Amino acid sequence: MRISLRNLKTATRYSIGLFTLFVASYSLGQERWQQDDYIEASFIKIALEREYKETKHPKLIRWNKPIKLFFESDQGDASLQKELLSVHAQHLAHITGLTIDFTTLPEQANIFVIFTSYDNMENKVRQYIGDPETIRKALDEAICLGNFSRNSKYEITKGSIIIPVDYARRKARFLDCIVEEITQLLGLPNDSNDVFPSVFNDVSIDTYISPLDYLLLKALYSHHLKPGMDVKQTKAAFPKVLAELHANKDIENAVQRVQKNSLKTYLGD
């Protein structure tokens, strides 16, 4: 069959057009939060900045030992509260590889989760955190509170979460408090409106951890990162973290994987 030069040029333009359309479709198919540079920037902002305390030389923090949760409630439905907390804790354990269990002995616990009333907040802060004046800004502004301590190796050693059940429900943030506070206590302590979609975004409508949050948690507990890394060291190691996330198909499948064992799936939302 004879093909004229004109037909060949038309066929070539058609092929180039199809290729361009394919590339455009691929780009449109990938969400912004799935892009490597966006994941890295989000991680630096959430893991290495602080919401209520300015830090000149921020370092990466995370747990390096099993977590033991102590649960206490003097407000609302205690059995429901513990059930929701348990489901979310096991979801986080599944994502990070951490061991997270409950203990009924305060002396064995390293995270204390307290459900109380708004009027009793300061008493619980004194009991589980310390002088309320040291966290006055957070106490005045936040709906619920999370606080942690670390050792000289930048390993988190202790945490406290205080949720005023009546106030959180009045603000329609009860589930948000359970999800966000314990997730942050794993080593993602900052909130930022630049990171989306995320429970760490104060203007976001997300109640449950998002696919991007799933990736931030996977990155935080990657063996390529270590507690005590500064911003420069974290950025230098992050290409290996991203390569691992791609190799495991975590980025590509984050939308599906974040739902496995999740509180959202458990509640049927």
Side-chain angles (χ1 to χ4, degrees), residues 110-216:
N110 46 27
I111 292 184
F112 297 83
V113 187
I114 313 303
F115 292 80
T116 190
S117 66
Y118 182 77
D119 290 341
N120 204 30
M121 281 280 285
E122 292 207 13
N123 289 332
K124 291 302 179 182
V125 168
R126 287 188 188 92
Q127 183 179 352
Y128 289 100
I129 297 176
D131 183 358
E133 293 309 316
T134 62
I135 58 166
R136 176 53 59 189
K137 185 177 180 182
L139 195 55
D140 289 344
E141 294 180 0
I143 294 173
C144 38
L145 290 175
N147 185 271
F148 65 88
S149 303
R150 62 162 179 85
N151 61 21
S152 59
K153 298 178 182 178
Y154 290 87
E155 298 165 340
I156 305 174
T157 56
K158 184 181 178 182
S160 299
I161 296 167
I162 303 176
I163 299 174
V165 177
D166 50 350
Y167 185 57
R169 286 198 179 281
R170 193 157 67 243
K171 294 289 187 178
R173 294 295 302 275
F174 177 68
L175 274 178
D176 305 60
C177 281
I178 294 174
V179 171
E180 182 177 351
E181 294 302 335
I182 189 170
T183 305
Q184 289 196 303
L185 246 62
L186 296 192
L188 298 172
N190 194 38
D191 284 330
S192 173
N193 294 342
D194 296 329
V195 176
F196 181 86
S198 176
V199 295
F200 308 123
N201 184 323
D202 285 337
V203 298
S204 171
I205 60 172
D206 292 276
T207 294
Y208 309 102
I209 59 174
S210 70
L212 175 58
D213 297 331
Y214 167 84
L215 296 175
L216 300 183

Side-chain angles (χ1 to χ4, degrees), residues 73-98:
S73 175
D74 59 25
Q75 177 81 14
D77 187 337
S79 60
L80 174 63
Q81 293 160 7
K82 189 171 183 180
E83 181 181 0
L84 297 174
L85 177 63
S86 177
V87 172
H88 185 58
Q90 291 312 305
H91 187 207
L92 295 175
H94 171 76
I95 294 170
T96 62
L98 287 168

